[in-house]
Amino acid sequence: GHITTCTRPTGTRARAPTATPPGSLLLAPTPTSPHSTGTGSAAPTATPPGGLPSPRNCTSLRSRGTRSDAPTATSTDWLEEHLEAPDIRIIDSSWHFPHEKRNAEQEFMESHIPGACFFDIDKIKDDQTDLPHMLPPSEMFNSTMRKLGVGDGHRVVIYDGFGMRSAARLWWMFKVFGYSDVVVLDGGFPKWVE
């Protein structure tokens, strides 16, 4: 499968795979659209089946009341201190170039941050184009996040196996779909294992 889900084990910095988490929540739909007509005020928009609006209907983070100075990264020390917090969701978004002949999901299964889940950027994408890694439809992204146990009230921490290769891409996808409480782990998995 393209999604591996894990529960949060106890202890620190252990890196063994674990079991599938029970239940999941929907991401919050965007309540207004910046694409309103007339006076320039935001008008309510319909949310498609599955929960999240399409990217063109997402409001800016500022208009949703999100701090413009919200952090985009967090430290491994912060994550270790909050590793067992019930609102933390950790996602490994590692990806390798085809010529590297490496399997990111297999590497994840062998070693990852406790409680992390795997997001496969090669599979969660727009299937209507031959271009790689194009933004997936909102329904696909929302469904994937539900399967990973990500929803309202969760702080998402994204990392990859290089420190900063594909984590920023998934961070951006969260932002496009209106999810504001998401950060990249500074230094990624290499810094975690130091």
Side-chain angles (χ1 to χ4, degrees), residues 1 22 25 27 36-37 40 55 66 71 78 108 113 121 144-145 153-154 180:
L25 300 172
L27 292 175
S36 60
T37 58
T66 303
W78 182 92
F108 168 81
I113 295 174
I121 196 169
T144 300
M145 291 307 112
H154 293 134
S180 60

Side-chain angles (χ1 to χ4, degrees), residues 26-192:
L26 288 173
L27 292 175
T30 304
T32 60
S33 171
H35 305 287
S36 60
T37 58
T39 64
S41 62
T45 61
T47 300
L52 287 176
S54 66
R56 72 175 184 274
N57 291 335
C58 289
T59 60
S60 71
L61 295 176
R62 185 179 297 272
S63 70
R64 288 187 64 199
T66 303
R67 291 184 5 217
S68 62
D69 64 341
T72 56
T74 194
S75 70
T76 53
D77 290 338
W78 182 92
L79 181 57
E80 187 169 18
E81 291 171 17
H82 296 87
L83 194 60
E84 295 186 37
D87 62 333
I88 299 297
R89 297 295 182 267
I90 307 165
I91 302 176
D92 182 329
S93 65
S94 296
W95 174 83
H96 303 295
F97 287 102
H99 73 271
E100 294 173 319
K101 298 187 185 323
R102 293 174 63 185
N103 183 320
E105 187 170 13
Q106 181 61 41
E107 291 175 12
F108 168 81
M109 295 303 292
E110 293 168 4
S111 183
H112 60 266
I113 295 174
C117 301
F118 184 77
F119 181 92
D120 192 336
I121 196 169
D122 283 326
K123 294 186 178 151
I124 309 302
K125 63 180 179 63
D126 183 351
D127 292 328
Q128 302 302 311
T129 179
D130 292 334
L131 298 172
H133 312 136
M134 293 295 102
L135 194 65
S138 60
E139 296 83 8
M140 178 186 282
F141 187 80
N142 192 36
S143 173
T144 300
M145 291 307 112
R146 282 195 314 262
K147 290 174 185 174
L148 294 178
V150 176
D152 254 356
H154 293 134
R155 169 165 248 200
V156 178
V157 179
I158 303 168
Y159 73 94
D160 65 44
F162 283 90
M164 183 61 76
R165 178 187 268 179
S166 50
R169 174 64 179 211
L170 182 55
W171 174 89
W172 172 78
M173 290 170 73
F174 270 98
K175 294 295 188 172
V176 166
F177 288 112
Y179 198 89
S180 60
D181 202 1
V182 58
V183 294
V184 173
L185 184 62
D186 185 17
F189 195 62
K191 189 167 183 181
W192 176 264

